[in-house]
Amino acid sequence: QETQSSEASQFRLVAGRIPEVPFGLSTSPEVLSHYGVAANTVTLFRTVDNDRRDLDLNNEDIDAEKLTRFIRINELRLVTEYNPVTAIGVMQSSLELNLLLITDKTSPKHPERMCTFRAAAELFKGKILFVLVDINLKSNERVADFFKLKRSQLPALAIFHVPDEEQDVLTLVELSLDGVQEFCNRFLQ
């Protein structure tokens, strides 16, 4: 409730560290009531799956590092890069379908692929969680193994239905918006 409290100053510090995430601070009872937020709570609203995560500041000793970790773990973007930090947020998403682009981020075609993948993510927002898996991360090799993909078969799209583990894989020569749309729609049907 205090805008000059140590919690509020830690919040401002984190807001400055993560400029790509919009931050807001309110002590207004009307605003808190509208969003169903308790006082001294950090609430992360995730537009990609219309979900939220709450961190109660009353129960824990929260500093900027813990708050940054909470946001990094739980934020989901239009395209979320899979790594040991974001894995928890991806696994806890309310979306049951995940579309993974398993690729090499050092490829000269990577920026173009990401542009296409983001455009496709806009079309399926709220239905499918779009995830980038960089095969150059040692920890991500298991993801390719899970879908029985060899490095020579990349880039590839892998779609995964979380509850029953149904999946499909499409190896790519080129990533196109129409191709991603068709692959997703076929799986959804």
Side-chain angles (χ1 to χ4, degrees), residues 15-179:
R17 288 182 182 172
I18 311 175
E20 67 274 15
V21 175
F23 283 76
L25 182 64
S26 179
T27 59
S28 163
E30 293 83 18
V31 171
L32 297 175
S33 174
H34 175 78
Y35 289 106
V37 176
N40 293 327
T41 300
V42 173
T43 300
L44 178 67
F45 297 97
R46 303 188 323 186
T47 57
V48 83
D49 63 356
N50 294 322
D51 206 356
R52 66 186 268 179
R53 297 289 185 265
D54 294 314
L55 178 64
D56 184 350
L57 301 178
N58 294 315
N59 296 340
E60 296 183 42
D61 183 29
I62 301 296
D63 61 12
E65 299 309 316
K66 289 178 184 172
L67 188 53
T68 300
R69 181 166 167 69
F70 167 77
I71 292 166
R72 288 294 186 210
I73 285 173
N74 291 292
E75 73 170 319
L76 291 181
R77 301 177 187 200
L78 204 51
V79 174
T80 300
E81 185 167 347
Y82 188 82
N83 58 47
V85 174
T86 62
I88 296 167
V90 169
M91 298 302 172
Q92 292 178 347
S93 170
S94 61
L95 296 177
E96 294 184 338
L97 283 173
N98 294 341
L99 180 69
L100 287 69
L101 171 59
I102 306 169
T103 190
D104 176 356
K105 277 179 61 176
T106 63
S107 164
K109 293 185 177 183
H110 180 71
E112 182 184 325
R113 285 183 191 136
M114 283 307 298
C115 188
T116 301
F117 200 56
R118 277 192 193 92
E122 281 283 352
L123 300 174
F124 292 96
K125 190 173 174 180
K127 295 179 188 166
I128 300 174
L129 180 63
F130 279 61
V131 180
L132 170 68
V133 179
D134 181 13
I135 199 61
N136 293 315
L137 274 182
K138 187 84 173 141
S139 59
N140 288 346
E141 289 175 1
R142 292 182 312 216
V143 176
D145 290 344
F146 178 80
F147 291 103
K148 297 173 181 59
L149 287 166
K150 294 177 176 56
R151 202 171 180 89
S152 62
Q153 295 174 293
L154 301 178
L157 290 175
I159 197 162
F160 183 76
H161 185 242
V162 177
D164 61 11
E165 296 189 5
E166 187 178 341
Q167 60 179 273
D168 195 8
V169 175
L170 176 67
T171 56
L172 303 168
V173 173
E174 188 174 312
L175 184 68
S176 71
L177 184 58
D178 289 342

